[in-house]
Amino acid sequence: LRHHGKSTYNVTQTESLMFLIHIIGDVHQPLHVSRETDRGGNTIHVSFPDDFLGFRDERSGHHHQGWNLHSVWDVAIIQRSIRLFHNSSQFAFQSSIEDELITSTNMASWLSCPNKNINDVSLSCITTWAKESFNDALTYAYGNEYGVEIVDGEILTEDYFRTRLDVVRRRLAAGGVRLAMALENMFSSVSLGLGVASVS
């Protein structure tokens, strides 16, 4: 994304944007920045209160049987919320997040960044975002609704789903606001003739 003279990589602007969108999204999913010992919850197999027993990975096309803690946070909590509370409409789910969470107070908090202006999208900003996700993983993802460590084979309850849904929605909202600011900054820099947009 930052051009340092001649690049040894042949990366297009589109590929750079895809990477930026992906990395900002990933850093806001708590189990993407969590414990290496269980591969971010991938080795903790769980049952989830839902009427389907697996999910299809849209990137690989592979259908996974059963749930692990990581897939619950990647897919199940969101899909269950969409189905139960938003009449199976992803648009309604997204709108509820925008209407309820995109407030001036939340935006000011999400757009503040220690030692840097958010417009720089510096390493310190991304580190801060990752620490937020890591804390959410330890506090909410890895513990059940009573704060007890989730173990392989555990049955996640309806209370787990309902109490974790707000965390998932908050992380989605924060990630969206931060991504929007990063993209706005990049494209406004380019349109002002400041050269190649930089993300350090």
Side-chain angles (χ1 to χ4, degrees):
L1 292 165
R2 173 177 278 168
H3 190 343
H4 296 283
K6 288 189 175 183
S7 175
T8 57
Y9 301 101
N10 186 14
V11 178
T12 67
Q13 187 174 22
T14 300
E15 290 169 325
S16 295
L17 279 173
M18 289 169 56
F19 175 78
L20 177 67
I21 292 166
H22 187 101
I23 195 71
I24 290 178
D26 274 0
V27 81
H28 284 84
Q29 202 279 45
L31 290 173
H32 284 199
V33 290
S34 58
R35 301 188 309 208
E36 184 179 355
T37 54
D38 55 45
R39 295 182 34 236
N42 276 295
T43 64
I44 302 173
H45 301 91
V46 296
S47 295
F48 186 70
D50 219 332
D51 57 3
F52 53 97
L53 300 175
F55 67 100
R56 184 174 183 273
D57 185 332
E58 296 301 326
R59 290 175 292 184
S60 70
H62 180 73
H63 186 82
H64 298 269
Q65 295 299 316
W67 295 104
N68 59 49
L69 195 58
H70 190 100
S71 63
V72 164
W73 280 74
D74 260 359
V75 179
I77 292 173
I78 295 168
Q79 284 184 355
R80 183 170 173 78
S81 174
I82 289 170
R83 198 179 73 251
L84 291 180
F85 306 127
H86 303 287
N87 199 28
S88 297
S89 168
Q90 181 176 331
F91 177 78
F93 174 72
Q94 290 170 216
S95 294
S96 76
I97 290 173
E98 291 172 20
D99 295 344
E100 297 166 25
L101 296 174
I102 308 300
T103 64
S104 57
T105 302
N106 282 346
M107 288 183 61
S109 171
W110 294 332
L111 294 176
S112 66
C113 191
N115 306 321
K116 278 288 194 176
N117 181 324
I118 186 67
N119 292 332
D120 295 334
V121 189
S122 68
L123 184 57
S124 67
C125 294
I126 295 171
T127 301
T128 297
W129 305 342
K131 286 178 181 177
E132 292 170 358
S133 287
F134 184 71
N135 289 333
D136 283 343
L138 296 180
T139 304
Y140 300 106
Y142 284 116
N144 67 19
E145 60 274 25
Y146 305 108
V148 178
E149 178 89 7
I150 292 172
V151 296
D152 193 50
E154 187 148 342
I155 298 171
L156 301 181
T157 66
E158 185 69 21
D159 284 343
Y160 180 89
F161 160 70
R162 290 181 184 269
T163 56
R164 277 41 184 184
L165 177 58
D166 284 340
V167 177
V168 170
R169 293 173 79 243
R170 180 174 39 82
R171 297 309 295 157
L172 288 169
V177 165
R178 289 163 170 166
L179 174 62
M181 177 55 90
L183 293 173
E184 184 177 289
N185 177 59
M186 287 174 57
F187 288 112
S188 65
S189 295
V190 170
S191 67
L192 292 173
L194 301 176
V196 176
S198 68
V199 175
S200 53

Short mmCIF file of all heavy atoms in Angstrom, two decimals, residues 8-56:
data_model
loop_
_atom_site.label_atom_id
_atom_site.label_comp_id
_atom_site.label_asym_id
_atom_site.label_seq_id
_atom_site.Cartn_x
_atom_site.Cartn_y
_atom_site.Cartn_z
N THR A 8 9.26 -4.89 -5.32
CA THR A 8 9.62 -6.23 -5.79
C THR A 8 8.37 -7.07 -6.00
O THR A 8 8.44 -8.18 -6.49
CB THR A 8 10.56 -6.93 -4.78
OG1 THR A 8 9.91 -6.99 -3.51
CG2 THR A 8 11.86 -6.19 -4.66
N TYR A 9 7.22 -6.55 -5.57
CA TYR A 9 5.96 -7.27 -5.72
C TYR A 9 5.13 -6.56 -6.77
O TYR A 9 5.10 -5.34 -6.84
CB TYR A 9 5.19 -7.30 -4.40
CG TYR A 9 5.94 -7.95 -3.29
CD1 TYR A 9 6.59 -7.20 -2.32
CD2 TYR A 9 6.02 -9.34 -3.21
CE1 TYR A 9 7.29 -7.81 -1.29
CE2 TYR A 9 6.72 -9.95 -2.19
CZ TYR A 9 7.35 -9.20 -1.24
OH TYR A 9 8.04 -9.80 -0.24
N ASN A 10 4.44 -7.33 -7.57
CA ASN A 10 3.55 -6.77 -8.56
C ASN A 10 2.14 -6.79 -7.97
O ASN A 10 1.36 -7.68 -8.25
CB ASN A 10 3.63 -7.57 -9.86
CG ASN A 10 2.80 -6.93 -10.96
OD1 ASN A 10 2.40 -5.78 -10.84
ND2 ASN A 10 2.54 -7.69 -12.01
N VAL A 11 1.85 -5.81 -7.12
CA VAL A 11 0.57 -5.74 -6.43
C VAL A 11 -0.24 -4.59 -7.01
O VAL A 11 0.24 -3.46 -7.06
CB VAL A 11 0.78 -5.53 -4.91
CG1 VAL A 11 -0.55 -5.40 -4.20
CG2 VAL A 11 1.61 -6.66 -4.33
N THR A 12 -1.44 -4.89 -7.44
CA THR A 12 -2.29 -3.85 -8.01
C THR A 12 -2.98 -3.08 -6.88
O THR A 12 -3.03 -3.52 -5.73
CB THR A 12 -3.38 -4.47 -8.91
OG1 THR A 12 -4.28 -5.23 -8.09
CG2 THR A 12 -2.77 -5.35 -9.99
N GLN A 13 -3.51 -1.94 -7.23
CA GLN A 13 -4.24 -1.14 -6.25
C GLN A 13 -5.46 -1.92 -5.75
O GLN A 13 -5.79 -1.87 -4.56
CB GLN A 13 -4.67 0.19 -6.86
CG GLN A 13 -5.28 1.13 -5.85
CD GLN A 13 -5.57 2.50 -6.41
OE1 GLN A 13 -5.71 2.67 -7.62
NE2 GLN A 13 -5.67 3.48 -5.54
N THR A 14 -6.09 -2.66 -6.63
CA THR A 14 -7.24 -3.47 -6.22
C THR A 14 -6.83 -4.52 -5.20
O THR A 14 -7.51 -4.72 -4.19
CB THR A 14 -7.89 -4.15 -7.45
OG1 THR A 14 -8.32 -3.13 -8.36
CG2 THR A 14 -9.06 -5.02 -7.06
N GLU A 15 -5.71 -5.20 -5.44
CA GLU A 15 -5.23 -6.20 -4.49
C GLU A 15 -4.87 -5.56 -3.15
O GLU A 15 -5.14 -6.13 -2.09
CB GLU A 15 -4.02 -6.94 -5.07
CG GLU A 15 -4.38 -7.86 -6.22
CD GLU A 15 -3.15 -8.38 -6.96
OE1 GLU A 15 -2.15 -7.63 -7.07
OE2 GLU A 15 -3.22 -9.52 -7.42
N SER A 16 -4.30 -4.37 -3.20
CA SER A 16 -3.97 -3.66 -1.97
C SER A 16 -5.23 -3.32 -1.19
O SER A 16 -5.28 -3.47 0.04
CB SER A 16 -3.20 -2.37 -2.28
OG SER A 16 -1.95 -2.67 -2.84
N LEU A 17 -6.26 -2.86 -1.89
CA LEU A 17 -7.53 -2.55 -1.23
C LEU A 17 -8.16 -3.80 -0.64
O LEU A 17 -8.69 -3.78 0.48
CB LEU A 17 -8.50 -1.91 -2.22
CG LEU A 17 -8.31 -0.43 -2.48
CD1 LEU A 17 -9.21 0.04 -3.61
CD2 LEU A 17 -8.56 0.37 -1.21
N MET A 18 -8.11 -4.89 -1.38
CA MET A 18 -8.67 -6.16 -0.87
C MET A 18 -7.94 -6.58 0.40
O MET A 18 -8.58 -7.02 1.37
CB MET A 18 -8.57 -7.25 -1.95
CG MET A 18 -9.53 -7.03 -3.10
SD MET A 18 -9.24 -8.11 -4.53
CE MET A 18 -9.32 -9.73 -3.81
N PHE A 19 -6.63 -6.42 0.42
CA PHE A 19 -5.85 -6.76 1.61
C PHE A 19 -6.24 -5.86 2.78
O PHE A 19 -6.45 -6.34 3.90
CB PHE A 19 -4.35 -6.65 1.33
CG PHE A 19 -3.52 -6.87 2.56
CD1 PHE A 19 -3.30 -8.16 3.04
CD2 PHE A 19 -2.99 -5.80 3.26
CE1 PHE A 19 -2.55 -8.37 4.19
CE2 PHE A 19 -2.24 -6.00 4.40
CZ PHE A 19 -2.02 -7.28 4.87
N LEU A 20 -6.33 -4.57 2.54
CA LEU A 20 -6.68 -3.63 3.60
C LEU A 20 -8.05 -3.95 4.20
O LEU A 20 -8.20 -4.01 5.42
CB LEU A 20 -6.67 -2.19 3.07
CG LEU A 20 -7.09 -1.12 4.08
CD1 LEU A 20 -6.05 -1.01 5.19
CD2 LEU A 20 -7.29 0.21 3.39
N ILE A 21 -9.03 -4.17 3.35
CA ILE A 21 -10.38 -4.50 3.81
C ILE A 21 -10.35 -5.79 4.62
O ILE A 21 -10.94 -5.88 5.70
CB ILE A 21 -11.34 -4.61 2.61
CG1 ILE A 21 -11.54 -3.22 1.98
CG2 ILE A 21 -12.68 -5.21 3.02
CD1 ILE A 21 -12.18 -3.23 0.61
N HIS A 22 -9.63 -6.78 4.11
CA HIS A 22 -9.55 -8.07 4.80
C HIS A 22 -8.86 -7.94 6.16
O HIS A 22 -9.35 -8.45 7.16
CB HIS A 22 -8.81 -9.07 3.91
CG HIS A 22 -8.83 -10.46 4.45
ND1 HIS A 22 -9.68 -11.42 3.96
CD2 HIS A 22 -8.11 -11.05 5.44
CE1 HIS A 22 -9.48 -12.55 4.63
NE2 HIS A 22 -8.53 -12.35 5.53
N ILE A 23 -7.75 -7.24 6.22
CA ILE A 23 -6.98 -7.17 7.46
C ILE A 23 -7.73 -6.36 8.52
O ILE A 23 -7.74 -6.73 9.70
CB ILE A 23 -5.55 -6.64 7.24
CG1 ILE A 23 -4.67 -6.93 8.47
CG2 ILE A 23 -5.51 -5.17 6.95
CD1 ILE A 23 -4.31 -8.35 8.68
N ILE A 24 -8.38 -5.27 8.13
CA ILE A 24 -9.14 -4.50 9.11
C ILE A 24 -10.34 -5.30 9.60
O ILE A 24 -10.65 -5.30 10.80
CB ILE A 24 -9.55 -3.12 8.55
CG1 ILE A 24 -8.30 -2.24 8.41
CG2 ILE A 24 -10.57 -2.43 9.47
CD1 ILE A 24 -8.55 -0.85 7.83
N GLY A 25 -10.97 -6.03 8.71
CA GLY A 25 -12.06 -6.91 9.15
C GLY A 25 -11.58 -7.99 10.10
O GLY A 25 -12.16 -8.22 11.16
N ASP A 26 -10.51 -8.66 9.72
CA ASP A 26 -9.98 -9.75 10.55
C ASP A 26 -9.54 -9.29 11.93
O ASP A 26 -9.77 -9.98 12.91
CB ASP A 26 -8.80 -10.43 9.86
CG ASP A 26 -9.23 -11.52 8.89
OD1 ASP A 26 -10.45 -11.75 8.75
OD2 ASP A 26 -8.35 -12.14 8.28
N VAL A 27 -8.91 -8.14 12.02
CA VAL A 27 -8.39 -7.69 13.31
C VAL A 27 -9.53 -7.34 14.27
O VAL A 27 -9.33 -7.28 15.47
CB VAL A 27 -7.39 -6.53 13.14
CG1 VAL A 27 -8.09 -5.20 12.96
CG2 VAL A 27 -6.42 -6.46 14.29
N HIS A 28 -10.74 -7.19 13.75
CA HIS A 28 -11.89 -6.90 14.60
C HIS A 28 -12.67 -8.15 14.99
O HIS A 28 -13.61 -8.06 15.78
CB HIS A 28 -12.81 -5.88 13.92
CG HIS A 28 -12.26 -4.49 13.99
ND1 HIS A 28 -11.33 -4.03 13.07
CD2 HIS A 28 -12.45 -3.50 14.88
CE1 HIS A 28 -11.00 -2.80 13.40
NE2 HIS A 28 -11.66 -2.45 14.50
N GLN A 29 -12.29 -9.31 14.47
CA GLN A 29 -12.93 -10.56 14.89
C GLN A 29 -12.09 -11.13 16.02
O GLN A 29 -10.94 -11.50 15.81
CB GLN A 29 -13.02 -11.53 13.71
CG GLN A 29 -14.07 -12.61 13.83
CD GLN A 29 -13.67 -13.82 14.70
OE1 GLN A 29 -13.12 -13.68 15.78
NE2 GLN A 29 -13.97 -15.00 14.23
N PRO A 30 -12.64 -11.20 17.24
CA PRO A 30 -11.82 -11.57 18.39
C PRO A 30 -10.99 -12.85 18.23
O PRO A 30 -9.83 -12.88 18.65
CB PRO A 30 -12.85 -11.71 19.52
CG PRO A 30 -13.90 -10.70 19.15
CD PRO A 30 -13.99 -10.80 17.65
N LEU A 31 -11.52 -13.87 17.61
CA LEU A 31 -10.76 -15.12 17.52
C LEU A 31 -9.74 -15.12 16.39
O LEU A 31 -8.99 -16.07 16.23
CB LEU A 31 -11.70 -16.32 17.43
CG LEU A 31 -12.44 -16.57 18.74
CD1 LEU A 31 -13.49 -17.66 18.58
CD2 LEU A 31 -11.49 -16.91 19.87
N HIS A 32 -9.66 -14.03 15.64
CA HIS A 32 -8.59 -13.91 14.64
C HIS A 32 -7.30 -13.38 15.26
O HIS A 32 -6.25 -13.44 14.63
CB HIS A 32 -9.02 -12.99 13.49
CG HIS A 32 -9.98 -13.65 12.55
ND1 HIS A 32 -10.19 -13.18 11.28
CD2 HIS A 32 -10.78 -14.73 12.68
CE1 HIS A 32 -11.08 -13.95 10.67
NE2 HIS A 32 -11.46 -14.89 11.51
N VAL A 33 -7.39 -12.86 16.47
CA VAL A 33 -6.20 -12.35 17.16
C VAL A 33 -6.17 -12.91 18.57
O VAL A 33 -6.03 -12.18 19.54
CB VAL A 33 -6.16 -10.80 17.17
CG1 VAL A 33 -5.88 -10.26 15.78
CG2 VAL A 33 -7.45 -10.22 17.72
N SER A 34 -6.30 -14.22 18.68
CA SER A 34 -6.40 -14.83 20.00
C SER A 34 -5.28 -15.84 20.22
O SER A 34 -4.17 -15.64 19.76
CB SER A 34 -7.78 -15.44 20.18
OG SER A 34 -8.02 -16.40 19.17
N ARG A 35 -5.61 -16.93 20.87
CA ARG A 35 -4.58 -17.87 21.30
C ARG A 35 -4.10 -18.77 20.16
O ARG A 35 -4.89 -19.38 19.45
CB ARG A 35 -5.13 -18.75 22.43
CG ARG A 35 -5.55 -17.94 23.62
CD ARG A 35 -5.92 -18.76 24.80
NE ARG A 35 -6.87 -19.82 24.52
CZ ARG A 35 -7.72 -20.30 25.42
NH1 ARG A 35 -7.75 -19.82 26.65
NH2 ARG A 35 -8.54 -21.29 25.12
N GLU A 36 -2.79 -18.86 20.04
CA GLU A 36 -2.19 -19.75 19.04
C GLU A 36 -2.37 -21.22 19.42
O GLU A 36 -2.49 -22.08 18.54
CB GLU A 36 -0.70 -19.42 18.91
CG GLU A 36 -0.01 -20.21 17.83
CD GLU A 36 1.46 -19.86 17.70
OE1 GLU A 36 1.94 -18.94 18.40
OE2 GLU A 36 2.14 -20.53 16.92
N THR A 37 -2.43 -21.51 20.71
CA THR A 37 -2.49 -22.90 21.16
C THR A 37 -3.71 -23.65 20.65
O THR A 37 -3.65 -24.86 20.46
CB THR A 37 -2.47 -22.98 22.71
OG1 THR A 37 -3.53 -22.16 23.23
CG2 THR A 37 -1.14 -22.51 23.26
N ASP A 38 -4.81 -22.95 20.42
CA ASP A 38 -6.01 -23.62 19.88
C ASP A 38 -6.40 -23.07 18.51
O ASP A 38 -7.51 -23.23 18.06
CB ASP A 38 -7.18 -23.51 20.86
CG ASP A 38 -7.50 -22.08 21.24
OD1 ASP A 38 -7.55 -21.21 20.35
OD2 ASP A 38 -7.68 -21.82 22.44
N ARG A 39 -5.40 -22.40 17.87
CA ARG A 39 -5.59 -21.84 16.54
C ARG A 39 -6.83 -20.94 16.47
O ARG A 39 -7.66 -21.05 15.59
CB ARG A 39 -5.65 -22.95 15.50
CG ARG A 39 -4.34 -23.70 15.38
CD ARG A 39 -4.31 -24.79 14.31
NE ARG A 39 -5.10 -24.49 13.13
CZ ARG A 39 -6.08 -25.29 12.67
NH1 ARG A 39 -6.36 -26.42 13.26
NH2 ARG A 39 -6.75 -24.95 11.60
N GLY A 40 -6.93 -20.06 17.45
CA GLY A 40 -8.04 -19.11 17.47
C GLY A 40 -9.40 -19.76 17.64
O GLY A 40 -10.39 -19.30 17.08
N GLY A 41 -9.44 -20.83 18.42
CA GLY A 41 -10.69 -21.53 18.68
C GLY A 41 -11.03 -22.59 17.66
O GLY A 41 -12.05 -23.29 17.78
N ASN A 42 -10.18 -22.79 16.64
CA ASN A 42 -10.47 -23.78 15.61
C ASN A 42 -10.39 -25.21 16.12
O ASN A 42 -11.01 -26.11 15.54
CB ASN A 42 -9.50 -23.61 14.43
CG ASN A 42 -9.98 -22.56 13.46
OD1 ASN A 42 -11.01 -22.70 12.83
ND2 ASN A 42 -9.23 -21.46 13.37
N THR A 43 -9.64 -25.47 17.17
CA THR A 43 -9.53 -26.84 17.69
C THR A 43 -10.49 -27.11 18.84
O THR A 43 -10.48 -28.20 19.41
CB THR A 43 -8.09 -27.14 18.16
OG1 THR A 43 -7.76 -26.28 19.25
CG2 THR A 43 -7.09 -26.95 17.02
N ILE A 44 -11.33 -26.14 19.18
CA ILE A 44 -12.33 -26.32 20.23
C ILE A 44 -13.67 -26.57 19.55
O ILE A 44 -14.35 -25.65 19.08
CB ILE A 44 -12.41 -25.09 21.15
CG1 ILE A 44 -11.06 -24.80 21.79
CG2 ILE A 44 -13.48 -25.29 22.23
CD1 ILE A 44 -10.99 -23.51 22.58
N HIS A 45 -14.05 -27.84 19.46
CA HIS A 45 -15.30 -28.23 18.80
C HIS A 45 -16.45 -28.05 19.79
O HIS A 45 -16.35 -28.45 20.95
CB HIS A 45 -15.20 -29.66 18.29
CG HIS A 45 -14.08 -29.83 17.32
ND1 HIS A 45 -12.82 -30.19 17.72
CD2 HIS A 45 -14.02 -29.61 15.99
CE1 HIS A 45 -12.02 -30.22 16.66
NE2 HIS A 45 -12.72 -29.86 15.60
N VAL A 46 -17.53 -27.44 19.31
CA VAL A 46 -18.66 -27.13 20.17
C VAL A 46 -19.96 -27.44 19.46
O VAL A 46 -20.00 -27.60 18.24
CB VAL A 46 -18.65 -25.63 20.58
CG1 VAL A 46 -17.42 -25.29 21.42
CG2 VAL A 46 -18.75 -24.72 19.37
N SER A 47 -21.01 -27.52 20.24
CA SER A 47 -22.37 -27.57 19.70
C SER A 47 -22.96 -26.19 19.90
O SER A 47 -22.72 -25.54 20.92
CB SER A 47 -23.21 -28.61 20.43
OG SER A 47 -22.71 -29.90 20.20
N PHE A 48 -23.72 -25.74 18.91
CA PHE A 48 -24.29 -24.39 18.96
C PHE A 48 -25.79 -24.51 18.84
O PHE A 48 -26.29 -25.33 18.07
CB PHE A 48 -23.70 -23.56 17.81
CG PHE A 48 -24.10 -22.12 17.85
CD1 PHE A 48 -23.60 -21.28 18.83
CD2 PHE A 48 -24.98 -21.61 16.92
CE1 PHE A 48 -23.96 -19.94 18.87
CE2 PHE A 48 -25.35 -20.28 16.94
CZ PHE A 48 -24.84 -19.44 17.92
N PRO A 49 -26.54 -23.70 19.58
CA PRO A 49 -28.01 -23.82 19.56
C PRO A 49 -28.60 -23.34 18.24
O PRO A 49 -29.05 -22.22 18.11
CB PRO A 49 -28.45 -22.93 20.72
CG PRO A 49 -27.37 -21.92 20.87
CD PRO A 49 -26.10 -22.64 20.47
N ASP A 50 -28.56 -24.21 17.26
CA ASP A 50 -29.10 -23.85 15.97
C ASP A 50 -29.62 -25.10 15.29
O ASP A 50 -29.28 -26.21 15.67
CB ASP A 50 -28.04 -23.17 15.10
CG ASP A 50 -28.64 -22.03 14.30
OD1 ASP A 50 -29.85 -22.10 13.98
OD2 ASP A 50 -27.92 -21.08 13.99
N ASP A 51 -30.40 -24.90 14.24
CA ASP A 51 -30.98 -26.06 13.58
C ASP A 51 -30.19 -26.52 12.37
O ASP A 51 -30.68 -27.27 11.55
CB ASP A 51 -32.44 -25.77 13.18
CG ASP A 51 -32.57 -24.56 12.29
OD1 ASP A 51 -31.53 -23.96 11.92
OD2 ASP A 51 -33.70 -24.19 11.97
N PHE A 52 -28.95 -26.05 12.24
CA PHE A 52 -28.09 -26.60 11.20
C PHE A 52 -26.78 -27.03 11.83
O PHE A 52 -26.34 -26.47 12.82
CB PHE A 52 -27.89 -25.64 10.03
CG PHE A 52 -27.41 -24.26 10.39
CD1 PHE A 52 -26.07 -23.94 10.31
CD2 PHE A 52 -28.31 -23.29 10.79
CE1 PHE A 52 -25.63 -22.67 10.62
CE2 PHE A 52 -27.87 -22.02 11.11
CZ PHE A 52 -26.54 -21.71 11.02
N LEU A 53 -26.19 -28.04 11.26
CA LEU A 53 -25.06 -28.71 11.90
C LEU A 53 -23.71 -28.32 11.33
O LEU A 53 -22.70 -28.89 11.71
CB LEU A 53 -25.23 -30.23 11.78
CG LEU A 53 -26.50 -30.77 12.43
CD1 LEU A 53 -26.63 -32.25 12.14
CD2 LEU A 53 -26.49 -30.51 13.92
N GLY A 54 -23.66 -27.39 10.44
CA GLY A 54 -22.39 -27.00 9.86
C GLY A 54 -22.54 -25.75 9.02
O GLY A 54 -23.57 -25.10 9.04
N PHE A 55 -21.50 -25.45 8.27
CA PHE A 55 -21.52 -24.25 7.46
C PHE A 55 -20.66 -24.46 6.23
O PHE A 55 -19.81 -25.33 6.19
CB PHE A 55 -21.06 -23.03 8.25
CG PHE A 55 -19.60 -23.08 8.63
CD1 PHE A 55 -18.66 -22.38 7.91
CD2 PHE A 55 -19.18 -23.84 9.72
CE1 PHE A 55 -17.33 -22.43 8.26
CE2 PHE A 55 -17.85 -23.90 10.09
CZ PHE A 55 -16.92 -23.20 9.35
N ARG A 56 -20.91 -23.64 5.22
CA ARG A 56 -20.14 -23.71 3.98
C ARG A 56 -19.18 -22.53 3.96
O ARG A 56 -19.58 -21.38 4.12
CB ARG A 56 -21.09 -23.62 2.79
CG ARG A 56 -20.40 -23.76 1.46
CD ARG A 56 -21.45 -23.81 0.34
NE ARG A 56 -20.82 -24.02 -0.93
CZ ARG A 56 -20.35 -23.03 -1.69
NH1 ARG A 56 -20.43 -21.79 -1.30
NH2 ARG A 56 -19.80 -23.30 -2.85
#
